Amino acid sequence: MPSLPISGTPDLEPRKGSPSPRLPEEEFKRRFLNQFQDPAYEPLSAELIKITEAAWDAYEHSRKSPKTRKAGQEFADPEYDLAVDWLAARQAIQEAQRRHEDPNGPIRFLLINGSSRSEHTCPGELSKSFRMVEAAREVLEQDPRVNVEILDLSRLASEYGRQIHPCKACFSTSAALCHWPCSCYPNYSLGQIHDWMNDIYPLWVEAHGIMIVTPVNWYQTSSPLKLMIDRLVCADGGNPDPTSTHGKHAKEAKEIEMKGWDYPRHLEGRFFSVIVHGDTEGAENVRRSVSDWLRSMDLESAGALAEVDRYIGYWEPYATSHTAYDRDRPVQEEVRNAARTLYQAAVAKRQGLQVAAGLDLTQPRQK
């Protein structure tokens, strides 16, 4: 059942009072032009001035989503202007959900490399996480019925225009204000574009099994993985209809939530595997935190062997970390066993053999 409204008359006015981040014209133009440092742009100075003026106009008038169309009858407010970017992202997710539900389609796995290390930029060497993902891929692709997608988050550090923008924490204002998929981006007036999440959401939706491989970075996940984790908040209780809140109207969203919110679990029932590796400290806690996060979204652990936390080259030089992985045959086999466990769970569910007690029960408090 939906969460119950609180008795009494709560104050739903959005709280204000932090300093404005708005830039004066001169500073905005300085920052905008700063991206054109290469001498190749020098002959285009007149054109850049015109482009800068257009960018300032978009910023000054806060044109977040300049291209929109009427929502249509399937939404709460058919006349509301929805961003075409959001509508395209929604369609991609719907198509992914159909692939997920197709009983005659392939068994789909998403393997995620959470490390930012890559040979295609500094430091000039691939990561152990990537090698583990490749080992898992080899295991899964032995079955011709399987489709494997690789999400290599190191591309955030090595590929032009590849970004995951930070979560703006709309959910903390109201669950109904956090839209599924996320409607915070792109924000053209702020230059917040090239957001990868609209491509990433369908990968999660279509998958039957998801494996996350991450190193330990200062007792935490890698920064690329944490960015993705935060932006998946809309998949767990997010509002699939932005017209119900007329975009980002916080008070309207609060009023909707107070009437009772059902917290739709958009990724529930998918299986997961988590592999965390470290050099010195923190692997156990990071593995637990990632596993707990996935369980909180109603994903299911594929099994004990699907969750691994290990140290490779414990307190040895970083310069020989790949050599340490080469000689650690047991950890390599644990990675393969995690993939096998994930595979077996997905196959069993496809065959109607996987049972998880309590899935039909409703929690009295959702989130």
Side-chain angles (χ1 to χ4, degrees):
M1 63 181 293
S3 59
L4 297 175
I6 299 174
S7 59
T9 306
D11 179 8
L12 301 183
E13 284 295 330
R15 304 300 173 94
K16 310 284 187 179
S18 61
S20 173
R22 298 294 292 181
L23 301 178
E25 182 176 358
E26 182 179 358
E27 176 61 14
F28 173 87
K29 291 180 176 179
R30 185 191 70 80
R31 293 189 189 184
F32 182 83
L33 285 169
N34 196 45
Q35 63 189 302
F36 304 107
Q37 293 291 320
D38 193 284
Y41 292 110
E42 291 177 2
L44 304 173
S45 58
E47 289 83 354
L48 285 174
I49 290 173
K50 294 178 182 178
I51 293 171
T52 303
E53 291 293 338
W56 166 250
D57 184 74
Y59 175 79
E60 186 180 27
H61 295 94
S62 299
R63 289 196 292 274
K64 172 182 181 286
S65 303
K67 295 183 179 180
T68 63
R69 71 166 176 81
K70 299 299 181 184
Q73 294 301 317
E74 57 189 311
F75 292 93
D77 183 351
E79 292 301 308
Y80 184 77
D81 293 321
L82 280 176
V84 296
D85 301 278
W86 186 87
L87 287 165
R90 174 178 180 265
Q91 182 178 349
I93 284 174
Q94 291 175 333
E95 292 171 355
Q97 184 65 34
R98 285 192 284 270
R99 292 193 294 272
H100 175 82
E101 295 173 353
D102 182 2
N104 299 314
I107 304 172
R108 300 179 181 275
F109 294 94
L110 174 61
L111 307 183
I112 301 172
N113 169 29
S115 175
S116 56
R117 188 153 62 123
S118 167
E119 77 264 37
H120 301 294
T121 184
C122 46
E125 182 177 55
L126 56 72
S127 67
K128 297 186 293 296
S129 295
F130 182 86
R131 295 179 64 186
M132 293 177 189
V133 164
E134 287 297 296
R137 187 223 294 258
E138 291 174 4
V139 169
L140 294 171
E141 289 184 341
Q142 291 176 12
D143 185 342
R145 299 174 297 172
V146 160
N147 181 81
V148 177
E149 292 286 348
I150 305 294
L151 176 56
D152 184 0
L153 294 178
S154 74
R155 290 182 173 271
L156 286 177
S158 62
E159 182 179 325
Y160 176 82
R162 185 63 74 194
Q163 299 180 55
I164 295 178
H165 293 292
C167 176
K168 295 183 179 180
C170 298
F171 208 108
S172 295
T173 290
S174 169
L177 196 62
C178 182
H179 300 142
W180 169 249
C182 176
S183 65
C184 294
Y185 304 101
N187 186 322
Y188 291 98
S189 68
L190 294 180
Q192 295 170 339
I193 57 174
H194 302 309
D195 187 68
W196 201 0
M197 289 306 299
N198 281 347
D199 297 321
I200 290 174
Y201 292 134
L203 296 177
W204 277 76
V205 171
E206 71 179 8
H208 301 101
I210 297 158
M211 174 182 282
I212 295 176
V213 184
T214 183
V216 178
N217 288 4
W218 286 114
Y219 297 88
Q220 306 290 335
T221 67
S222 66
S223 49
L225 180 57
K226 187 59 169 66
L227 282 167
M228 183 187 69
I229 287 173
D230 286 352
R231 291 290 303 286
L232 279 163
V233 64
C234 58
D236 191 58
N239 182 359
D241 186 353
T243 74
S244 66
T245 58
H246 295 96
K248 292 293 183 175
H249 285 267
K251 188 174 182 180
E252 289 185 33
K254 291 184 178 190
E255 290 170 348
I256 292 172
E257 183 182 351
M258 296 306 295
K259 294 175 183 177
W261 189 251
D262 60 0
Y263 295 92
R265 308 286 186 176
H266 300 291
L267 296 174
E268 65 181 355
R270 290 153 178 84
F271 289 105
F272 72 82
S273 168
V274 174
I275 299 174
V276 177
H277 61 95
D279 306 295
T280 55
E281 298 170 294
E284 300 93 337
N285 289 338
V286 171
R287 192 267 305 162
R288 292 188 193 104
S289 70
V290 175
S291 296
D292 287 349
W293 162 64
L294 291 162
R295 287 189 179 91
S296 76
M297 296 201 298
D298 280 359
L299 280 77
E300 303 171 33
S301 174
L305 296 184
E307 298 186 49
V308 179
D309 51 77
R310 291 292 179 265
Y311 293 95
I312 301 170
Y314 186 64
W315 284 103
E316 295 180 10
Y318 294 102
T320 58
S321 65
H322 276 284
T323 302
Y325 179 68
D326 289 338
R327 69 171 182 262
D328 197 336
R329 299 298 176 85
V331 80
Q332 295 177 37
E333 190 61 18
E334 285 177 316
V335 171
R336 296 186 188 97
N337 279 341
R340 292 174 185 127
T341 303
L342 185 63
Y343 167 81
Q344 290 172 9
V347 170
K349 188 167 188 177
R350 172 67 65 92
Q351 296 173 346
L353 302 175
Q354 188 80 19
V355 177
L359 285 183
D360 59 340
L361 302 179
T362 301
Q363 292 280 50
R365 289 184 289 189
Q366 293 290 325
K367 194 172 182 179

Tab-separated table of all heavy atoms in Angstrom, residues 6-15 173 251 254-255 258:
chain	number	residue	atom	x	y	z
A	6	ILE	N	0.983	12.075	6.688
A	6	ILE	CA	1.202	12.462	8.074
A	6	ILE	C	0.023	13.290	8.539
A	6	ILE	O	-0.519	14.120	7.811
A	6	ILE	CB	2.508	13.264	8.198
A	6	ILE	CG1	3.686	12.391	7.758
A	6	ILE	CG2	2.717	13.781	9.607
A	6	ILE	CD1	5.004	13.134	7.696
A	7	SER	N	-0.407	13.053	9.790
A	7	SER	CA	-1.544	13.791	10.324
A	7	SER	C	-1.159	15.248	10.552
A	7	SER	O	0.010	15.604	10.684
A	7	SER	CB	-2.002	13.150	11.641
A	7	SER	OG	-0.956	13.154	12.581
A	8	GLY	N	-2.180	16.095	10.639
A	8	GLY	CA	-1.927	17.515	10.820
A	8	GLY	C	-1.723	18.216	9.501
A	8	GLY	O	-1.960	17.673	8.419
A	9	THR	N	-1.266	19.462	9.557
A	9	THR	CA	-1.030	20.264	8.362
A	9	THR	C	0.441	20.640	8.312
A	9	THR	O	0.857	21.676	8.858
A	9	THR	CB	-1.908	21.529	8.366
A	9	THR	OG1	-3.276	21.146	8.544
A	9	THR	CG2	-1.759	22.289	7.054
A	10	PRO	N	1.261	19.831	7.657
A	10	PRO	CA	2.698	20.127	7.621
A	10	PRO	C	2.996	21.312	6.708
A	10	PRO	O	2.226	21.646	5.811
A	10	PRO	CB	3.305	18.841	7.058
A	10	PRO	CG	2.207	18.235	6.253
A	10	PRO	CD	0.930	18.583	6.962
A	11	ASP	N	4.114	21.939	6.959
A	11	ASP	CA	4.578	23.055	6.137
A	11	ASP	C	5.261	22.487	4.901
A	11	ASP	O	6.324	21.875	4.990
A	11	ASP	CB	5.544	23.910	6.945
A	11	ASP	CG	6.091	25.088	6.135
A	11	ASP	OD1	5.588	25.314	5.011
A	11	ASP	OD2	7.021	25.755	6.621
A	12	LEU	N	4.661	22.673	3.730
A	12	LEU	CA	5.187	22.125	2.486
A	12	LEU	C	5.873	23.175	1.624
A	12	LEU	O	6.255	22.877	0.485
A	12	LEU	CB	4.064	21.448	1.691
A	12	LEU	CG	3.341	20.295	2.387
A	12	LEU	CD1	2.309	19.680	1.451
A	12	LEU	CD2	4.324	19.236	2.865
A	13	GLU	N	6.034	24.375	2.127
A	13	GLU	CA	6.719	25.401	1.349
A	13	GLU	C	8.197	25.036	1.211
A	13	GLU	O	8.858	24.726	2.212
A	13	GLU	CB	6.590	26.766	2.019
A	13	GLU	CG	5.229	27.413	1.852
A	13	GLU	CD	4.919	27.749	0.405
A	13	GLU	OE1	5.865	28.018	-0.367
A	13	GLU	OE2	3.729	27.735	0.043
A	14	PRO	N	8.723	25.041	-0.006
A	14	PRO	CA	10.155	24.751	-0.182
A	14	PRO	C	11.013	25.750	0.584
A	14	PRO	O	10.745	26.952	0.571
A	14	PRO	CB	10.357	24.879	-1.694
A	14	PRO	CG	8.996	24.685	-2.286
A	14	PRO	CD	8.036	25.251	-1.288
A	15	ARG	N	12.029	25.250	1.258
A	15	ARG	CA	12.920	26.111	2.045
A	15	ARG	C	13.931	26.780	1.117
A	15	ARG	O	14.534	26.136	0.258
A	15	ARG	CB	13.640	25.302	3.112
A	15	ARG	CG	12.702	24.540	4.055
A	15	ARG	CD	11.761	25.482	4.807
A	15	ARG	NE	10.775	24.755	5.581
A	15	ARG	CZ	10.930	24.431	6.878
A	15	ARG	NH1	12.058	24.766	7.508
A	15	ARG	NH2	9.975	23.782	7.519
A	173	THR	N	13.719	16.249	-1.485
A	173	THR	CA	12.640	17.222	-1.364
A	173	THR	C	11.294	16.531	-1.428
A	173	THR	O	10.402	16.794	-0.623
A	173	THR	CB	12.757	18.290	-2.462
A	173	THR	OG1	13.891	19.115	-2.182
A	173	THR	CG2	11.514	19.161	-2.536
A	251	LYS	N	6.578	22.271	-4.369
A	251	LYS	CA	5.397	22.207	-3.500
A	251	LYS	C	4.359	21.251	-4.061
A	251	LYS	O	3.728	20.482	-3.313
A	251	LYS	CB	4.801	23.599	-3.309
A	251	LYS	CG	3.680	23.612	-2.264
A	251	LYS	CD	3.184	25.015	-1.970
A	251	LYS	CE	2.108	24.984	-0.885
A	251	LYS	NZ	1.600	26.352	-0.575
A	254	LYS	N	5.493	17.783	-3.203
A	254	LYS	CA	5.282	17.483	-1.781
A	254	LYS	C	3.818	17.162	-1.500
A	254	LYS	O	3.506	16.238	-0.732
A	254	LYS	CB	5.736	18.665	-0.921
A	254	LYS	CG	7.240	18.891	-0.917
A	254	LYS	CD	7.608	20.014	0.047
A	254	LYS	CE	9.116	20.206	0.099
A	254	LYS	NZ	9.530	21.109	1.196
A	255	GLU	N	2.920	17.900	-2.110
A	255	GLU	CA	1.490	17.649	-1.907
A	255	GLU	C	1.106	16.265	-2.423
A	255	GLU	O	0.315	15.548	-1.794
A	255	GLU	CB	0.682	18.740	-2.597
A	255	GLU	CG	0.801	20.102	-1.924
A	255	GLU	CD	0.208	21.225	-2.746
A	255	GLU	OE1	-0.102	20.987	-3.949
A	255	GLU	OE2	0.078	22.353	-2.222
A	258	MET	N	2.435	13.614	0.041
A	258	MET	CA	1.696	13.575	1.295
A	258	MET	C	0.338	12.897	1.163
A	258	MET	O	-0.237	12.449	2.153
A	258	MET	CB	1.519	14.999	1.839
A	258	MET	CG	2.827	15.676	2.214
A	258	MET	SD	3.829	14.702	3.363
A	258	MET	CE	2.770	14.699	4.798
